[in-house]
Amino acid sequence: MNWPRRAMGITLVLLVLAAPPWLLATVVGPPLLGWPTGAQFRDWIADPLTPQALTVGLTALAWLLWLAVAYTVAVTAARRLRAGARWLRRLPLPTPWQAAATSMAGAAALTTAHAPTSDLPDVPLPASTEGPHQRPSDVTVRADEGVTVAGGWLPDETARQVTAAAALVWLRRRRAYQPGRDSGDAAPLTPMPDTVNAVRAAVADRKPPPSTTKAAVPDLPAAGVAYIGDGAADATRGVLVTRLLAALRDPPDTARVLVTRTALTTLLPDLAAAAITIPGLRVADTAEEAISLLPSPAGAPALFEGSSGPLVLITASPSAATADRLTGLTRRAQVVALGAAPLGCTWHIDRHGHTIDVRTGQAGPRLCVLDRTAATDLLTVLAQPTPSVSDGTSSTPAPQKPAVDVSVRIPRQIGSDIPLEVIPSPAASPAVQLRVLGRPALTIDGQPVTIRRSAALQVLVLLAVHPDGATTTQLVQAIWPGVPVRTVTGRLYTTISALRAAVRATTPVTVLASTDDRYHLDPDRVDVDLWRLRTAAHHAAASLTDPTPAWQSVIDAYTGDLAAGHTWPWIDQPREAIRRLVLDAYANLAAAHNNPHDRLRTLQAAILVDPYNQDLHQRAADELTSLGDPAAAERLLHAHQQLLHRSGVAASETPVGTHR
């Protein structure tokens, strides 16, 4: 707690404010004894440097300095009081959705572990050169104005939903991975797009994230609304994305948004051309077809059963006859028309999302606005996996071609795997030890080094993941996504200087080196547990005879999640890669056992590393069944289904193959 330090600071401030005037009034007297007379003024001009004149001048200067200090303290206190008052006005109780998302994140944090393949894919560092989709990016977080990113603006609630949706993407990938099989690109480790990472970083920077009862999308006029103005298309994309994010917890095969194909082609042409299925979204060829799909007073079609919020119909400018039908959908859907239309209301929207009712001239609610790139990035986290069918032809217990869920890739989702360099362990154990598996820690001669800056800790972990180093631009883009590099380069230099100073206070050994504009850890002076794990995996993959001890060495080298407890936007990909590496070791070790009890114990240990993995649970259930305990197998699979349900991840409908 910081209250003792704060109490001491307040005491010192009060002392500074009270002591000088008391001393001046006691020793010199009141500040104003009266205005000088004409005779005194003439005497001062004739002889200005008399002791009395000097005393008066110094006393006046002292009073002026005290007034300046008092003014500064008063202004600072007033500013903080206003900020505190604004925060208190925005402090409501958390919504049920936020409580569910918090529970999911807590469960994931408590049960997380790590592992990938022997050819470990790594998180690609941000490229420092311009790409076809790159643009100047900026992200701003204001407590009262949501999150501003390159290409749009999101309300606070929508930003938190993006963070929760990104977490679900990685949980689905964990569920779908099949350890020990030649999965190729079947369960990709594609990183989240730039906009998603920028939103996640902005939400993580809040302390604490304020709860809100304000809806991500304000209630739309019952008789329909037409969007016009420079921000009309961006606001319509905002409605589409925010409503689909709100449908994350809806049952499968239900729709929250109906959109005509013409409108979708105008808003997101790449998505319309790709024909990608997104949960909660239904595309109709025409507005008339969309109207026919809406629930009627007699009952709702199965398409809309279970939808937890109002349906939204998005269409291009309709004809007069169609507009009349849309106006009559008051109790069936909220209608948004892109462009002028004879509906109940017409809102003029600027590019920042501010609305004005054209008929009344009154300002309306601020809407989420997203350009095509930002909307496509955010829709990436909503794309569900598409199952493929296993051939099931292998009759040996060795690794086989898997049947896994292939994550749908929305256009523009980019990513590449960088081959890893195996770092040999130093001949002698160095005094500097960096642990990144589990809670990160830097120790020198067994004594922990205090790293006060979160960014400094990220630098250490990032360079442990990338032993070949990273440039200044790459570090900035990973640690502060969405922020222009030029604005935070100085912050990175300050962070690195503070990190080096903390190390120098304990040892003269150089931990963080810089070569050819690349920062890197010195492999001859620093021992990193992740590097030892990678070396063990490399040896296991290259072992030609009796690889069992080699796989066991990989398992022994694994001591926990990569940077456990931290939610940096860039950490998910390398964390999952390391988890898969260790799961592969468990799967290969289990396959090498001839005793079914040994196989079962190994699979149970692997499930502790990743309790979300569906393939491991199925293999363990098969072993239990073969050992004559089908009831235990049923309990195991039921517990796994319950865990997936609580986390918001649906179990794969594709049956996983067995090894028997």
Side-chain angles (χ1 to χ4, degrees), residues 344-364:
C345 293
T346 299
W347 287 355
H348 184 279
I349 307 173
D350 65 14
R351 60 188 185 90
H352 300 293
H354 300 290
T355 62
I356 295 178
D357 191 315
V358 173
R359 296 183 182 178
T360 64
Q362 296 180 346

Side-chain angles (χ1 to χ4, degrees), residues 224-490:
V225 59
Y227 286 175
I228 62 174
D230 295 338
D234 290 352
T236 308
R237 280 186 285 264
V239 171
L240 176 69
V241 172
T242 50
R243 292 294 171 128
L244 292 177
L245 284 168
L248 280 174
R249 297 284 176 172
D250 285 349
D253 302 324
T254 61
R256 177 71 72 93
V257 178
L258 268 174
V259 58
T260 61
R261 192 167 302 279
T262 301
L264 185 61
T265 302
T266 302
L267 298 170
L268 297 167
D270 292 339
L271 178 62
I276 295 175
T277 301
I278 295 180
L281 177 66
R282 176 67 182 266
V283 181
D285 289 333
T286 62
E288 288 74 14
E289 179 184 346
I291 294 173
S292 67
L293 292 173
L294 291 175
S296 63
L303 174 67
F304 302 102
E305 291 178 356
S307 180
S308 59
L311 303 175
V312 177
L313 192 160
I314 300 175
T315 180
S317 297
S319 62
T322 303
D324 289 339
R325 296 186 61 190
L326 293 174
T327 305
L329 300 177
T330 302
R331 297 184 179 180
R332 299 168 62 187
Q334 295 179 337
V335 179
V336 176
L338 177 57
L343 296 177
C345 293
T346 299
W347 287 355
H348 184 279
I349 307 173
D350 65 14
R351 60 188 185 90
H352 300 293
H354 300 290
T355 62
I356 295 178
D357 191 315
V358 173
R359 296 183 182 178
T360 64
Q362 296 180 346
R366 187 177 184 183
L367 302 178
C368 175
V369 284
L370 300 167
D371 66 8
R372 289 180 179 178
T373 301
T376 301
D377 281 354
L378 297 183
L379 286 174
T380 300
V381 301
L382 297 173
Q384 294 283 4
T386 299
S388 60
V389 180
S390 173
D391 53 25
T393 57
S394 177
S395 60
T396 65
Q400 51 189 295
K401 197 70 178 178
V404 298
D405 290 346
V406 182
S407 295
V408 177
R409 298 189 184 184
I410 297 235
R412 194 188 170 275
Q413 184 178 5
I414 58 175
S416 61
D417 292 337
I418 297 179
L420 294 181
E421 175 186 357
V422 177
I423 303 296
S425 300
S429 179
V432 181
Q433 306 276 339
L434 176 59
R435 185 183 69 199
V436 296
L437 299 176
R439 298 290 297 186
L442 179 66
T443 59
I444 299 177
D445 293 328
Q447 298 299 318
V449 177
T450 302
I451 302 174
R452 303 188 182 279
R453 293 174 177 262
S454 172
L457 191 61
Q458 289 195 63
V459 169
L460 284 176
V461 178
L462 233 167
L463 295 182
V465 172
H466 293 274
D468 57 339
T471 64
T472 299
T473 300
Q474 290 171 333
L475 289 173
V476 167
Q477 291 178 341
I479 298 173
W480 296 285
V483 181
V485 174
R486 65 183 182 278
T487 64
V488 289
T489 300

Side-chain angles (χ1 to χ4, degrees), residues 102 113 263 287 379 526 653-654:
T102 303
L379 286 174
V526 184
E653 296 180 358
T654 304

Side-chain angles (χ1 to χ4, degrees), residues 597-618:
H597 293 281
D598 292 337
R599 287 197 297 270
L600 178 60
R601 280 192 292 269
T602 302
L603 291 172
Q604 288 173 332
I607 288 174
L608 293 178
V609 172
D610 190 355
Y612 292 94
N613 188 273
Q614 185 169 338
D615 185 61
L616 289 175
H617 282 81
Q618 185 63 57

Side-chain angles (χ1 to χ4, degrees), residues 127-194:
S128 57
T129 57
E130 293 82 5
H133 298 286
Q134 288 185 328
R135 55 192 171 168
S137 61
D138 193 6
V139 58
T140 306
V141 184
R142 296 186 179 90
D144 58 340
E145 294 188 6
V147 176
T148 300
V149 297
W153 176 86
L154 299 86
D156 291 333
E157 179 68 13
T158 301
R160 283 189 287 273
Q161 289 172 345
V162 169
T163 299
L168 287 177
V169 169
W170 288 105
L171 287 181
R172 287 198 297 266
R173 292 175 178 180
R174 291 173 60 178
R175 176 212 64 193
Y177 183 65
Q178 296 191 350
R181 306 188 186 188
D182 183 16
S183 58
D185 291 332
L189 288 173
T190 309
M192 294 293 103
D194 296 340

